[in-house]
Coordinates of all heavy atoms in Angstrom, one line a residue:
A180 N -77.5 67.4 191.3 CA -77.6 66.1 190.6 C -76.6 66.0 189.5 O -76.8 65.2 188.5 CB -79.0 65.8 190.1
G181 N -75.5 66.8 189.5 CA -74.5 66.7 188.5 C -73.8 65.3 188.7 O -73.6 64.8 189.8
T182 N -73.4 64.7 187.5 CA -72.9 63.3 187.6 C -71.6 63.2 186.8 O -71.3 64.0 185.9 CB -73.9 62.3 187.0 OG1 -74.2 62.7 185.7 CG2 -75.2 62.3 187.8
Y183 N -70.9 62.2 187.1 CA -69.6 61.9 186.5 C -69.4 60.4 186.6 O -69.7 59.8 187.6 CB -68.4 62.7 187.1 CG -67.1 62.5 186.5 CD1 -66.8 63.1 185.3 CD2 -66.1 61.7 187.1 CE1 -65.5 62.9 184.7 CE2 -64.9 61.5 186.5 CZ -64.6 62.1 185.3 OH -63.4 62.0 184.8
Y184 N -68.8 59.8 185.5 CA -68.7 58.4 185.4 C -67.3 58.0 185.0 O -66.6 58.7 184.3 CB -69.6 57.8 184.4 CG -71.1 58.0 184.7 CD1 -71.8 59.2 184.2 CD2 -71.8 57.1 185.4 CE1 -73.1 59.4 184.5 CE2 -73.1 57.3 185.7 CZ -73.8 58.4 185.2 OH -75.1 58.6 185.5
A185 N -66.9 56.8 185.5 CA -65.7 56.2 185.0 C -65.9 55.8 183.5 O -67.0 55.5 183.1 CB -65.3 54.9 185.8
D186 N -64.8 55.9 182.7 CA -65.0 55.6 181.3 C -65.5 54.1 181.1 O -66.2 53.9 180.1 CB -63.6 55.7 180.6 CG -63.2 57.2 180.5 OD1 -64.1 58.1 180.6 OD2 -62.0 57.5 180.2
S187 N -65.1 53.3 182.0 CA -65.4 51.8 181.8 C -66.9 51.6 182.0 O -67.4 50.5 181.5 CB -64.7 51.0 182.9 OG -65.0 51.4 184.2
V188 N -67.7 52.5 182.6 CA -69.1 52.3 182.7 C -70.0 53.3 182.0 O -71.2 53.2 182.0 CB -69.5 52.3 184.2 CG1 -68.6 51.3 185.0 CG2 -69.4 53.7 184.9
K189 N -69.4 54.3 181.4 CA -70.1 55.4 180.8 C -71.0 54.8 179.7 O -70.5 54.0 178.9 CB -69.1 56.4 180.2 CG -69.7 57.8 180.0 CD -68.6 58.7 179.5 CE -67.6 58.9 180.6 NZ -66.5 59.9 180.3
G190 N -72.2 55.2 179.7 CA -73.2 54.7 178.7 C -73.9 53.4 179.1 O -74.9 53.1 178.5
R191 N -73.4 52.8 180.1 CA -74.1 51.6 180.6 C -74.7 51.7 182.0 O -75.7 51.1 182.3 CB -73.0 50.4 180.7 CG -72.4 50.1 179.3 CD -71.6 48.8 179.4 NE -70.4 48.9 180.4 CZ -70.2 48.1 181.4 NH1 -71.1 47.2 181.7 NH2 -69.2 48.3 182.2
F192 N -74.0 52.5 182.8 CA -74.5 52.8 184.2 C -75.0 54.2 184.4 O -74.6 55.1 183.7 CB -73.3 52.6 185.2 CG -72.8 51.2 185.4 CD1 -73.2 50.2 184.5 CD2 -71.9 50.9 186.4 CE1 -72.7 48.9 184.7 CE2 -71.4 49.7 186.6 CZ -71.7 48.6 185.7
T193 N -76.0 54.3 185.2 CA -76.6 55.6 185.5 C -76.8 55.8 187.0 O -77.4 54.9 187.7 CB -78.0 55.7 184.9 OG1 -77.9 55.6 183.5 CG2 -78.6 57.1 185.1
I194 N -76.2 56.9 187.5 CA -76.4 57.2 189.0 C -77.5 58.2 189.1 O -77.6 59.1 188.3 CB -75.0 57.7 189.6 CG1 -75.1 57.8 191.1 CG2 -74.6 59.0 188.9 CD1 -73.8 58.1 191.8
S195 N -78.3 58.1 190.2 CA -79.3 59.0 190.4 C -79.6 59.1 191.9 O -79.1 58.3 192.7 CB -80.6 58.6 189.7 OG -81.1 57.3 190.1
R196 N -80.4 60.1 192.3 CA -80.7 60.2 193.8 C -82.1 60.6 194.0 O -82.7 61.3 193.1 CB -79.7 61.1 194.5 CG -80.1 62.6 194.6 CD -79.8 63.4 193.5 NE -79.9 64.8 193.7 CZ -80.9 65.6 193.3 NH1 -81.9 65.0 192.7 NH2 -80.9 66.9 193.5
D197 N -82.6 60.2 195.1 CA -84.0 60.6 195.5 C -83.8 61.3 196.8 O -83.5 60.7 197.9 CB -84.9 59.3 195.7 CG -86.3 59.7 196.0 OD1 -86.6 60.7 196.7 OD2 -87.2 58.9 195.6
V198 N -84.0 62.6 196.8 CA -83.7 63.4 197.9 C -84.7 63.1 199.1 O -84.3 63.0 200.2 CB -83.8 64.9 197.6 CG1 -83.6 65.8 198.8 CG2 -82.7 65.3 196.6
A199 N -85.9 62.9 198.7 CA -86.9 62.6 199.7 C -86.6 61.3 200.5 O -86.9 61.2 201.7 CB -88.3 62.6 199.1
K200 N -86.0 60.4 199.8 CA -85.8 59.1 200.4 C -84.3 59.0 200.9 O -83.9 57.9 201.4 CB -86.0 57.9 199.4 CG -87.5 57.8 199.0 CD -87.7 56.6 198.1 CE -89.2 56.4 197.8 NZ -89.4 55.3 196.8
N201 N -83.6 60.0 200.7 CA -82.1 60.0 201.1 C -81.4 58.8 200.5 O -80.6 58.1 201.2 CB -82.0 60.0 202.6 CG -81.5 61.3 203.2 OD1 -81.5 62.3 202.5 ND2 -81.0 61.2 204.4
T202 N -81.7 58.5 199.3 CA -81.2 57.3 198.7 C -80.5 57.6 197.3 O -81.0 58.4 196.6 CB -82.3 56.3 198.5 OG1 -82.9 55.9 199.7 CG2 -81.8 55.0 197.8
V203 N -79.4 56.9 197.1 CA -78.7 57.0 195.8 C -78.8 55.7 195.1 O -78.8 54.6 195.8 CB -77.3 57.5 195.9 CG1 -76.5 56.5 196.7 CG2 -76.7 57.8 194.6
Y204 N -79.0 55.7 193.8 CA -79.1 54.5 193.0 C -78.0 54.4 192.0 O -77.4 55.4 191.5 CB -80.5 54.5 192.3 CG -81.7 54.6 193.2 CD1 -82.3 55.9 193.4 CD2 -82.2 53.6 193.9 CE1 -83.3 56.0 194.2 CE2 -83.3 53.7 194.7 CZ -83.8 54.9 194.9 OH -84.9 55.1 195.7

C-alpha cells in the first residue's frame, strides 16, 4: 500500500485499495 502523488493533488487526494474487493479508490 505504498503511495505516491502528483504535486498538484498532494494533500487533497488520497489513493487506497481494498484487497478483498479488488478495488482501488
Side-chain angles (χ1 to χ4, degrees):
T182 59
Y183 181 76
Y184 297 90
D186 287 343
S187 59
V188 306
K189 202 174 296 183
R191 299 188 298 122
F192 291 10
T193 302
I194 188 171
S195 62
R196 93 277 194 254
D197 186 325
V198 174
K200 294 182 178 180
N201 251 18
T202 299
V203 64
Y204 303 98

